[in-house]
mmCIF file of all heavy atoms in Angstrom:
data_model
loop_
_atom_site.group_PDB
_atom_site.id
_atom_site.type_symbol
_atom_site.label_atom_id
_atom_site.label_comp_id
_atom_site.label_asym_id
_atom_site.label_seq_id
_atom_site.Cartn_x
_atom_site.Cartn_y
_atom_site.Cartn_z
ATOM 1 N N VAL A 1 9.148 -2.194 -20.909
ATOM 2 C CA VAL A 1 9.581 -0.923 -20.313
ATOM 3 C C VAL A 1 9.690 -1.112 -18.803
ATOM 4 O O VAL A 1 9.052 -2.004 -18.232
ATOM 5 C CB VAL A 1 8.578 0.214 -20.611
ATOM 6 C CG1 VAL A 1 8.550 0.529 -22.097
ATOM 7 C CG2 VAL A 1 7.190 -0.136 -20.098
ATOM 8 N N PRO A 2 10.507 -0.299 -18.125
ATOM 9 C CA PRO A 2 10.547 -0.383 -16.662
ATOM 10 C C PRO A 2 9.158 -0.104 -16.097
ATOM 11 O O PRO A 2 8.447 0.781 -16.582
ATOM 12 C CB PRO A 2 11.533 0.728 -16.274
ATOM 13 C CG PRO A 2 12.344 0.972 -17.495
ATOM 14 C CD PRO A 2 11.428 0.722 -18.654
ATOM 15 N N VAL A 3 8.765 -0.859 -15.093
ATOM 16 C CA VAL A 3 7.439 -0.658 -14.508
ATOM 17 C C VAL A 3 7.553 -0.679 -12.986
ATOM 18 O O VAL A 3 8.071 -1.619 -12.396
ATOM 19 C CB VAL A 3 6.434 -1.729 -15.003
ATOM 20 C CG1 VAL A 3 6.902 -3.129 -14.697
ATOM 21 C CG2 VAL A 3 5.054 -1.491 -14.424
ATOM 22 N N SER A 4 7.109 0.407 -12.373
ATOM 23 C CA SER A 4 7.123 0.528 -10.917
ATOM 24 C C SER A 4 5.736 0.207 -10.387
ATOM 25 O O SER A 4 4.742 0.783 -10.848
ATOM 26 C CB SER A 4 7.532 1.943 -10.507
ATOM 27 O OG SER A 4 7.360 2.141 -9.121
ATOM 28 N N ILE A 5 5.659 -0.705 -9.418
ATOM 29 C CA ILE A 5 4.356 -1.140 -8.902
ATOM 30 C C ILE A 5 4.313 -0.996 -7.380
ATOM 31 O O ILE A 5 5.139 -1.577 -6.672
ATOM 32 C CB ILE A 5 4.077 -2.606 -9.293
ATOM 33 C CG1 ILE A 5 4.064 -2.740 -10.829
ATOM 34 C CG2 ILE A 5 2.765 -3.077 -8.694
ATOM 35 C CD1 ILE A 5 3.778 -4.132 -11.324
ATOM 36 N N VAL A 6 3.349 -0.206 -6.907
ATOM 37 C CA VAL A 6 3.141 -0.075 -5.464
ATOM 38 C C VAL A 6 2.806 -1.451 -4.899
ATOM 39 O O VAL A 6 1.860 -2.101 -5.346
ATOM 40 C CB VAL A 6 2.004 0.908 -5.163
ATOM 41 C CG1 VAL A 6 1.681 0.894 -3.666
ATOM 42 C CG2 VAL A 6 2.385 2.317 -5.602
ATOM 43 N N SER A 7 3.570 -1.885 -3.915
ATOM 44 C CA SER A 7 3.429 -3.259 -3.423
ATOM 45 C C SER A 7 3.074 -3.339 -1.945
ATOM 46 O O SER A 7 3.136 -4.411 -1.348
ATOM 47 C CB SER A 7 4.734 -4.030 -3.679
ATOM 48 O OG SER A 7 5.078 -3.998 -5.051
ATOM 49 N N ASP A 8 2.687 -2.208 -1.352
ATOM 50 C CA ASP A 8 2.412 -2.206 0.086
ATOM 51 C C ASP A 8 0.944 -1.958 0.403
ATOM 52 O O ASP A 8 0.617 -1.573 1.515
ATOM 53 C CB ASP A 8 3.252 -1.125 0.773
ATOM 54 C CG ASP A 8 2.669 0.260 0.557
ATOM 55 O OD1 ASP A 8 2.238 0.548 -0.577
ATOM 56 O OD2 ASP A 8 2.620 1.056 1.519
ATOM 57 N N SER A 9 0.066 -2.184 -0.564
ATOM 58 C CA SER A 9 -1.350 -1.920 -0.311
ATOM 59 C C SER A 9 -1.842 -2.670 0.921
ATOM 60 O O SER A 9 -2.712 -2.187 1.654
ATOM 61 C CB SER A 9 -2.189 -2.325 -1.527
ATOM 62 O OG SER A 9 -1.817 -1.570 -2.665
ATOM 63 N N TYR A 10 -1.288 -3.854 1.147
ATOM 64 C CA TYR A 10 -1.701 -4.668 2.290
ATOM 65 C C TYR A 10 -0.481 -5.137 3.091
ATOM 66 O O TYR A 10 -0.346 -4.816 4.254
ATOM 67 C CB TYR A 10 -2.529 -5.865 1.806
ATOM 68 C CG TYR A 10 -3.609 -5.452 0.834
ATOM 69 C CD1 TYR A 10 -3.496 -5.713 -0.526
ATOM 70 C CD2 TYR A 10 -4.732 -4.749 1.272
ATOM 71 C CE1 TYR A 10 -4.469 -5.296 -1.432
ATOM 72 C CE2 TYR A 10 -5.706 -4.321 0.375
ATOM 73 C CZ TYR A 10 -5.570 -4.598 -0.983
ATOM 74 O OH TYR A 10 -6.528 -4.180 -1.867
ATOM 75 N N ASP A 11 0.395 -5.892 2.458
ATOM 76 C CA ASP A 11 1.557 -6.429 3.174
ATOM 77 C C ASP A 11 2.751 -6.462 2.223
ATOM 78 O O ASP A 11 2.882 -7.369 1.410
ATOM 79 C CB ASP A 11 1.251 -7.832 3.700
ATOM 80 C CG ASP A 11 2.328 -8.367 4.632
ATOM 81 O OD1 ASP A 11 3.478 -7.902 4.555
ATOM 82 O OD2 ASP A 11 2.026 -9.284 5.428
ATOM 83 N N ILE A 12 3.602 -5.453 2.319
ATOM 84 C CA ILE A 12 4.746 -5.338 1.422
ATOM 85 C C ILE A 12 5.670 -6.549 1.511
ATOM 86 O O ILE A 12 6.223 -6.999 0.505
ATOM 87 C CB ILE A 12 5.542 -4.035 1.720
ATOM 88 C CG1 ILE A 12 6.787 -3.919 0.838
ATOM 89 C CG2 ILE A 12 5.923 -3.947 3.189
ATOM 90 C CD1 ILE A 12 6.516 -3.781 -0.620
ATOM 91 N N TYR A 13 5.799 -7.106 2.697
ATOM 92 C CA TYR A 13 6.739 -8.214 2.876
ATOM 93 C C TYR A 13 6.193 -9.508 2.270
ATOM 94 O O TYR A 13 6.930 -10.282 1.662
ATOM 95 C CB TYR A 13 7.059 -8.388 4.365
ATOM 96 C CG TYR A 13 7.496 -7.093 4.998
ATOM 97 C CD1 TYR A 13 6.843 -6.565 6.122
ATOM 98 C CD2 TYR A 13 8.553 -6.349 4.449
ATOM 99 C CE1 TYR A 13 7.233 -5.357 6.682
ATOM 100 C CE2 TYR A 13 8.945 -5.141 5.005
ATOM 101 C CZ TYR A 13 8.282 -4.655 6.120
ATOM 102 O OH TYR A 13 8.658 -3.448 6.656
ATOM 103 N N ASN A 14 4.897 -9.729 2.407
ATOM 104 C CA ASN A 14 4.277 -10.877 1.750
ATOM 105 C C ASN A 14 4.325 -10.709 0.240
ATOM 106 O O ASN A 14 4.550 -11.679 -0.497
ATOM 107 C CB ASN A 14 2.831 -11.028 2.208
ATOM 108 C CG ASN A 14 2.114 -12.167 1.508
ATOM 109 O OD1 ASN A 14 2.355 -13.341 1.790
ATOM 110 N ND2 ASN A 14 1.240 -11.836 0.580
ATOM 111 N N ALA A 15 4.108 -9.479 -0.227
ATOM 112 C CA ALA A 15 4.162 -9.222 -1.666
ATOM 113 C C ALA A 15 5.531 -9.566 -2.224
ATOM 114 O O ALA A 15 5.649 -10.188 -3.288
ATOM 115 C CB ALA A 15 3.826 -7.758 -1.946
ATOM 116 N N CYS A 16 6.584 -9.174 -1.513
ATOM 117 C CA CYS A 16 7.950 -9.439 -1.986
ATOM 118 C C CYS A 16 8.294 -10.923 -1.905
ATOM 119 O O CYS A 16 8.901 -11.482 -2.829
ATOM 120 C CB CYS A 16 8.958 -8.631 -1.175
ATOM 121 S SG CYS A 16 8.896 -6.859 -1.481
ATOM 122 N N GLU A 17 7.887 -11.557 -0.809
ATOM 123 C CA GLU A 17 8.282 -12.944 -0.600
ATOM 124 C C GLU A 17 7.432 -13.930 -1.395
ATOM 125 O O GLU A 17 7.969 -14.836 -2.058
ATOM 126 C CB GLU A 17 8.207 -13.296 0.890
ATOM 127 C CG GLU A 17 8.684 -14.701 1.203
ATOM 128 C CD GLU A 17 8.863 -14.941 2.693
ATOM 129 O OE1 GLU A 17 8.704 -13.996 3.485
ATOM 130 O OE2 GLU A 17 9.174 -16.093 3.056
ATOM 131 N N LYS A 18 6.128 -13.771 -1.333
ATOM 132 C CA LYS A 18 5.238 -14.765 -1.923
ATOM 133 C C LYS A 18 4.838 -14.440 -3.367
ATOM 134 O O LYS A 18 4.897 -15.301 -4.243
ATOM 135 C CB LYS A 18 3.976 -14.909 -1.062
ATOM 136 C CG LYS A 18 4.249 -15.388 0.357
ATOM 137 C CD LYS A 18 4.854 -16.787 0.367
ATOM 138 C CE LYS A 18 5.033 -17.273 1.813
ATOM 139 N NZ LYS A 18 5.678 -18.610 1.846
ATOM 140 N N ILE A 19 4.402 -13.179 -3.587
ATOM 141 C CA ILE A 19 3.871 -12.850 -4.912
ATOM 142 C C ILE A 19 5.008 -12.619 -5.905
ATOM 143 O O ILE A 19 5.107 -13.315 -6.920
ATOM 144 C CB ILE A 19 2.939 -11.632 -4.851
ATOM 145 C CG1 ILE A 19 1.779 -11.894 -3.873
ATOM 146 C CG2 ILE A 19 2.395 -11.324 -6.251
ATOM 147 C CD1 ILE A 19 0.822 -10.734 -3.722
ATOM 148 N N TRP A 20 5.884 -11.645 -5.614
ATOM 149 C CA TRP A 20 7.004 -11.404 -6.530
ATOM 150 C C TRP A 20 8.017 -12.537 -6.505
ATOM 151 O O TRP A 20 8.514 -12.968 -7.548
ATOM 152 C CB TRP A 20 7.698 -10.091 -6.177
ATOM 153 C CG TRP A 20 6.881 -8.851 -6.360
ATOM 154 C CD1 TRP A 20 6.700 -7.841 -5.455
ATOM 155 C CD2 TRP A 20 6.139 -8.459 -7.518
ATOM 156 N NE1 TRP A 20 5.883 -6.854 -5.966
ATOM 157 C CE2 TRP A 20 5.537 -7.210 -7.252
ATOM 158 C CE3 TRP A 20 5.915 -9.044 -8.770
ATOM 159 C CZ2 TRP A 20 4.733 -6.540 -8.173
ATOM 160 C CZ3 TRP A 20 5.119 -8.372 -9.691
ATOM 161 C CH2 TRP A 20 4.542 -7.148 -9.387
ATOM 162 N N GLY A 21 8.316 -13.019 -5.288
ATOM 163 C CA GLY A 21 9.389 -14.001 -5.146
ATOM 164 C C GLY A 21 9.024 -15.428 -5.487
ATOM 165 O O GLY A 21 9.910 -16.269 -5.689
ATOM 166 N N GLU A 22 7.712 -15.731 -5.559
ATOM 167 C CA GLU A 22 7.295 -17.110 -5.845
ATOM 168 C C GLU A 22 6.261 -17.164 -6.972
ATOM 169 O O GLU A 22 6.534 -17.682 -8.054
ATOM 170 C CB GLU A 22 6.743 -17.763 -4.570
ATOM 171 C CG GLU A 22 7.801 -17.927 -3.474
ATOM 172 C CD GLU A 22 7.233 -18.532 -2.191
ATOM 173 O OE1 GLU A 22 6.059 -18.986 -2.208
ATOM 174 O OE2 GLU A 22 7.953 -18.539 -1.169
ATOM 175 N N ASP A 23 5.081 -16.605 -6.724
ATOM 176 C CA ASP A 23 3.978 -16.753 -7.681
ATOM 177 C C ASP A 23 4.320 -16.193 -9.063
ATOM 178 O O ASP A 23 4.021 -16.815 -10.084
ATOM 179 C CB ASP A 23 2.720 -16.058 -7.153
ATOM 180 C CG ASP A 23 2.226 -16.663 -5.842
ATOM 181 O OD1 ASP A 23 2.558 -17.832 -5.573
ATOM 182 O OD2 ASP A 23 1.503 -15.964 -5.100
ATOM 183 N N LEU A 24 4.924 -15.012 -9.093
ATOM 184 C CA LEU A 24 5.190 -14.345 -10.368
ATOM 185 C C LEU A 24 6.681 -14.332 -10.724
ATOM 186 O O LEU A 24 7.086 -13.620 -11.652
ATOM 187 C CB LEU A 24 4.649 -12.907 -10.335
ATOM 188 C CG LEU A 24 3.149 -12.768 -10.052
ATOM 189 C CD1 LEU A 24 2.739 -11.299 -10.047
ATOM 190 C CD2 LEU A 24 2.328 -13.548 -11.077
ATOM 191 N N ARG A 25 7.443 -15.100 -10.021
ATOM 192 C CA ARG A 25 8.896 -15.084 -10.241
ATOM 193 C C ARG A 25 9.288 -15.360 -11.700
ATOM 194 O O ARG A 25 10.144 -14.655 -12.251
ATOM 195 C CB ARG A 25 9.580 -16.080 -9.303
ATOM 196 C CG ARG A 25 11.087 -16.159 -9.529
ATOM 197 C CD ARG A 25 11.782 -16.969 -8.469
ATOM 198 N NE ARG A 25 13.191 -17.154 -8.789
ATOM 199 C CZ ARG A 25 14.100 -17.639 -7.960
ATOM 200 N NH1 ARG A 25 13.735 -17.977 -6.731
ATOM 201 N NH2 ARG A 25 15.348 -17.773 -8.339
ATOM 202 N N PRO A 26 8.703 -16.353 -12.368
ATOM 203 C CA PRO A 26 9.094 -16.594 -13.768
ATOM 204 C C PRO A 26 8.867 -15.378 -14.669
ATOM 205 O O PRO A 26 9.673 -15.115 -15.572
ATOM 206 C CB PRO A 26 8.204 -17.773 -14.184
ATOM 207 C CG PRO A 26 7.895 -18.483 -12.905
ATOM 208 C CD PRO A 26 7.757 -17.388 -11.892
ATOM 209 N N LEU A 27 7.786 -14.645 -14.428
ATOM 210 C CA LEU A 27 7.524 -13.451 -15.228
ATOM 211 C C LEU A 27 8.573 -12.372 -14.978
ATOM 212 O O LEU A 27 8.969 -11.641 -15.896
ATOM 213 C CB LEU A 27 6.136 -12.887 -14.913
ATOM 214 C CG LEU A 27 4.928 -13.697 -15.403
ATOM 215 C CD1 LEU A 27 3.632 -13.039 -14.939
ATOM 216 C CD2 LEU A 27 4.945 -13.799 -16.924
ATOM 217 N N ILE A 28 9.019 -12.265 -13.736
ATOM 218 C CA ILE A 28 10.024 -11.259 -13.390
ATOM 219 C C ILE A 28 11.368 -11.625 -13.999
ATOM 220 O O ILE A 28 12.063 -10.781 -14.576
ATOM 221 C CB ILE A 28 10.165 -11.122 -11.857
ATOM 222 C CG1 ILE A 28 8.804 -10.922 -11.193
ATOM 223 C CG2 ILE A 28 11.105 -9.968 -11.515
ATOM 224 C CD1 ILE A 28 7.972 -9.841 -11.800
ATOM 225 N N GLU A 29 11.724 -12.896 -13.897
ATOM 226 C CA GLU A 29 13.018 -13.339 -14.420
ATOM 227 C C GLU A 29 13.079 -13.227 -15.945
ATOM 228 O O GLU A 29 14.183 -13.160 -16.514
ATOM 229 C CB GLU A 29 13.281 -14.777 -13.986
ATOM 230 C CG GLU A 29 13.489 -14.913 -12.486
ATOM 231 C CD GLU A 29 13.659 -16.358 -12.050
ATOM 232 O OE1 GLU A 29 13.033 -17.249 -12.671
ATOM 233 O OE2 GLU A 29 14.418 -16.602 -11.081
ATOM 234 N N ALA A 30 11.931 -13.198 -16.592
ATOM 235 C CA ALA A 30 11.903 -13.088 -18.055
ATOM 236 C C ALA A 30 12.100 -11.649 -18.530
ATOM 237 O O ALA A 30 12.280 -11.414 -19.726
ATOM 238 C CB ALA A 30 10.576 -13.630 -18.585
#
């Protein structure tokens, strides 16, 4: 299902670049 996740608890830009864009990228692409 679509899932919205607050990503600015600390650093929104690091979350987008490192966590979503690198660490968890395979899970997102799936």
Side-chain angles (χ1 to χ4, degrees):
V1 294
V3 57
S4 171
I5 300 181
V6 173
S7 304
D8 77 318
S9 299
Y10 312 106
D11 189 337
I12 177 65
Y13 308 124
N14 177 74
C16 290
E17 184 169 355
K18 298 297 184 183
I19 302 179
W20 295 130
E22 295 178 9
D23 298 337
L24 302 180
R25 177 171 174 169
L27 289 177
I28 309 310
E29 293 176 327

